[in-house]
Amino acid sequence: MKKVIKVPYIDQTKEYPTGCESISTVMLLWYLKIMVTPEQFIDDYLIKEPMQKKGDRLYGPDPFFKFAGSPYDADSFGCYPPVIVSALNRLFKEKQIPKRAEDITGMSMEDMIKNYIDHDIPVIYWASIDLKETIIGPDWYLSDESRFTWISNEHCMLLVGYDDTSYYFNDPWHNHGCIAYPKALVEMRHKEQREMAAVAVDSGKTIV
């Protein structure tokens, strides 16, 4: 069996080198006929905080709360589902769109497919760039002087389908387009990136 949701594609590589989370989200918005540009999403809705060097220490935000750096900057890092969920929900509220975003981190792939893909709902999905091996680090300091450890090669794509051997993604990196990746490798990289994922659903609708 094969199912692939047709979603408009955007390449991130030149203009938004670390903007995979935002570009995957904007692809989802375009699929929902919400025509927000990447710049509008990044500038108006995404909460960001620059990285700063203080002496020999690197400081930055917790990626669960803010984007670490800027999606326009190749030397920046990224963000995790709560940041994207918060941005989407602000956008939906401002534009009075009857949708809500949800963090579905930790959900099994089987349930993700059954609850969302089979209902034509794409999933914002964290794994690794080109499904490369992830690397622990670097670390940086948060404002309270605690240390946060980044998992390098982090990447976000839009899950749009599956067949017997592969999952299909709108992968915004290097103009990959809609690309099939092997199931076992996808699931391994997803687990290495904290099994993070997010969706947008109709307000008031519960999928079991």
Side-chain angles (χ1 to χ4, degrees):
M1 181 179 176
K2 179 178 179 180
K3 178 180 179 68
V4 179
I5 308 165
K6 292 185 177 179
V7 176
Y9 181 77
I10 306 170
D11 179 61
Q12 75 172 91
T13 315
K14 292 182 180 179
E15 295 178 76
Y16 325 101
T18 53
C20 54
E21 305 94 346
S22 295
I23 300 307
S24 295
T25 302
V26 173
M27 288 191 281
L28 171 62
L29 289 169
W30 287 10
Y31 169 74
L32 296 173
K33 310 297 185 195
I34 303 167
M35 304 313 291
V36 174
T37 67
E39 290 79 9
Q40 286 172 325
F41 182 80
I42 292 167
D43 297 344
D44 298 344
Y45 300 102
L46 186 73
I47 297 177
K48 305 168 288 294
E49 183 179 314
M51 306 297 295
Q52 299 181 63
K53 202 75 182 290
K54 297 179 183 178
D56 60 352
R57 286 186 171 188
L58 181 64
Y59 282 81
D62 184 332
F64 285 99
F65 296 99
K66 298 178 182 179
F67 187 98
S70 166
Y72 303 116
D73 177 9
D75 293 326
S76 290
F77 293 93
C79 65
Y80 293 155
V83 180
I84 293 299
V85 166
S86 177
L88 277 172
N89 283 330
R90 280 196 303 277
L91 185 153
F92 294 151
K93 182 177 181 180
E94 180 183 295
K95 295 184 177 295
Q96 298 183 318
I97 295 166
K99 294 277 186 185
R100 73 175 188 276
E102 296 181 349
D103 185 340
I104 58 167
T105 294
M107 181 177 287
S108 71
M109 203 63 167
E110 180 183 3
D111 285 345
M112 221 178 279
I113 294 296
K114 179 180 68 176
N115 293 345
Y116 300 109
I117 301 302
D118 284 345
H119 292 272
D120 295 317
I121 301 170
V123 175
I124 304 166
Y125 189 95
W126 275 254
S128 65
I129 199 157
D130 290 328
L131 294 190
K132 294 176 182 175
E133 183 178 358
T134 55
I135 299 168
I136 303 300
D139 294 351
W140 62 77
Y141 287 87
L142 306 180
S143 59
D144 64 0
E145 300 298 327
S146 63
R147 290 173 70 170
F148 177 84
T149 300
W150 182 250
I151 302 174
S152 289
N153 287 332
E154 177 262 359
H155 190 45
C156 189
M157 305 176 283
L158 194 64
L159 175 64
V160 296
Y162 61 93
D163 62 22
D164 291 339
T165 61
S166 304
Y167 296 119
Y168 289 77
F169 294 89
N170 269 28
D171 182 349
W173 185 244
H174 273 308
N175 212 26
H176 285 325
C178 184
I179 188 170
Y181 288 124
K183 284 184 173 181
L185 185 57
V186 166
E187 292 182 23
M188 180 167 67
R189 299 304 184 222
H190 182 58
K191 187 174 183 179
E192 291 168 5
Q193 285 290 354
R194 302 181 168 96
E195 298 184 318
M196 298 185 295
V199 291
V201 297
D202 292 339
S203 294
K205 185 175 183 179
T206 301
I207 297 177
V208 179

